[in-house]
Each structure stands twice: as C-alpha cells, then as structure tokens.
Amino acid sequence: MAETAAETAETQVDGRRAARAERAAARLAKQIGAFAKAHGGAEGQVAYLGQMGARIVLVGEDGGWGDLVAPSYEIAESAARKSGITLHESFDGEFAAKVHTGPYEWTRMAGIQVGGPSNKV
C-alpha cells in the first residue's frame, strides 16, 4: 500500500532529525578526540541533564579534565563511542581519583560559598 502524504512527511522529518543527531555526534566526537590527544588519552562519563541533554565529563591521562554538553543522552553516548574513549557508569573510585585540580579550581569552588574567597588566583 502506498504511503500517505503525512507518512511521507513524517519519514522525511525523522530522516532530518537522524542526520542532525549524527552530525552533532560527529562534532562532539571530534572535540573528544582533540581533548584525548592533548591529554595523552581520555576516559569519560555521561550524565543525564534532563531536557537540556547530557553532560560528557572527560578526564585525561594527565589528570586534566573538561566537559561537553550534548543535546541528548543518545548523542552523547554515540559521540563517546565514535571517539573511542572508555565510558564509566559513574564518576567515582579510580576514575574520579585521576582528576587533578589546581588552585584555580579550589578558589572557584570556595568562592561559590557565601563568604568564600574571591575567584582570583
């Protein structure tokens, strides 16, 4: 049986959404790869942010860290797979212990507290 005009339009929209998601995953994978290259390799963890999407936390082999936000959890996982990094279920244990923080991070975290030091290093 032939598709109706509405079914054809819906199929086209789904195709565009899939293509957009694929491009977003490819862009994120490229950024993850650049981070990994700059830090001697990397591992990551994906955290759901609700309607905002998902956060990809990256930890380099040298202890450097960073994060990216993806429009969805599925796109974040796809980007991580494409980049080839190891994904962890949670941000704890040995994985979290790899993070190295410096004076900037400590003053920034403390500066958030009422009466904490300013965010100047």
Side-chain angles (χ1 to χ4, degrees):
M1 194 149 80
E3 285 187 26
T4 66
E7 290 171 334
T8 302
E10 188 175 325
T11 301
Q12 290 173 342
V13 168
D14 288 344
R16 285 193 295 268
R17 282 188 189 130
R20 195 175 307 124
E22 185 63 29
R23 287 191 304 272
R27 272 192 310 274
L28 287 165
K30 187 175 180 181
Q31 291 174 306
I32 293 168
F35 177 90
K37 184 177 180 184
H39 295 276
E43 298 175 51
Q45 189 259 338
V46 177
Y48 180 66
L49 296 175
Q51 288 183 338
M52 289 180 58
R55 179 180 185 209
I56 307 167
V57 179
L58 302 169
V59 179
E61 289 301 315
D62 64 357
W65 61 279
D67 65 347
L68 298 166
V69 175
S72 73
Y73 194 89
E74 294 77 20
I75 291 173
E77 284 187 321
S78 176
R81 278 194 309 274
K82 287 177 185 295
S83 71
I85 65 168
T86 300
L87 275 182
H88 294 268
E89 290 289 322
S90 61
F91 193 79
D92 60 5
E94 288 181 34
F95 178 52
K98 288 183 177 185
V99 175
H100 292 242
T101 55
Y104 171 78
E105 288 86 5
W106 285 103
T107 58
R108 180 149 170 94
M109 287 185 276
I112 292 171
Q113 304 300 318
V114 175
S118 68
N119 194 16
K120 295 179 183 173
V121 178

